[in-house]
Amino acid sequence: MKIKIEKVVKINKDLVDASLMLSAISLVLTGTSEFSDATHKTKVMIILAVATVALIICRVWAGRQS
């Protein structure tokens, strides 16, 4: 006897939109700021870019849920 369990993940669009705005603003501010080390700035920008792309994917996924 097999029992199939489905987990439904609901994504709040408002929370994703707010997080997306914050990550985009942080990315722009980091890009325009001066850092003492260029590699540190590059690492921070890559992390913020990955977060922004992940939030864009979540936003598309949330749009398909409704």
Side-chain angles (χ1 to χ4, degrees):
M1 181 175 168
K2 290 186 179 180
I3 298 173
K4 187 175 181 181
I5 299 173
E6 290 186 28
K7 292 185 179 181
V8 178
V9 178
K10 292 280 186 173
I11 298 176
N12 188 346
K13 284 186 198 178
D14 295 333
L15 180 62
V16 173
D17 287 341
S19 300
L20 183 60
M21 283 189 287
L22 284 174
S23 65
I25 290 169
S26 299
L27 187 60
V28 170
L29 288 176
T30 303
T32 57
S33 299
E34 293 182 18
F35 278 69
S36 59
D37 188 14
T39 57
H40 181 66
K41 181 178 182 177
T42 304
K43 290 176 186 177
V44 170
M45 288 188 67
I46 288 171
I47 292 169
L48 288 171
V50 168
T52 304
V53 169
L55 287 168
I56 290 171
I57 292 169
C58 286
R59 179 63 176 103
V60 169
W61 190 18
R64 290 184 180 178
Q65 282 184 348
S66 55

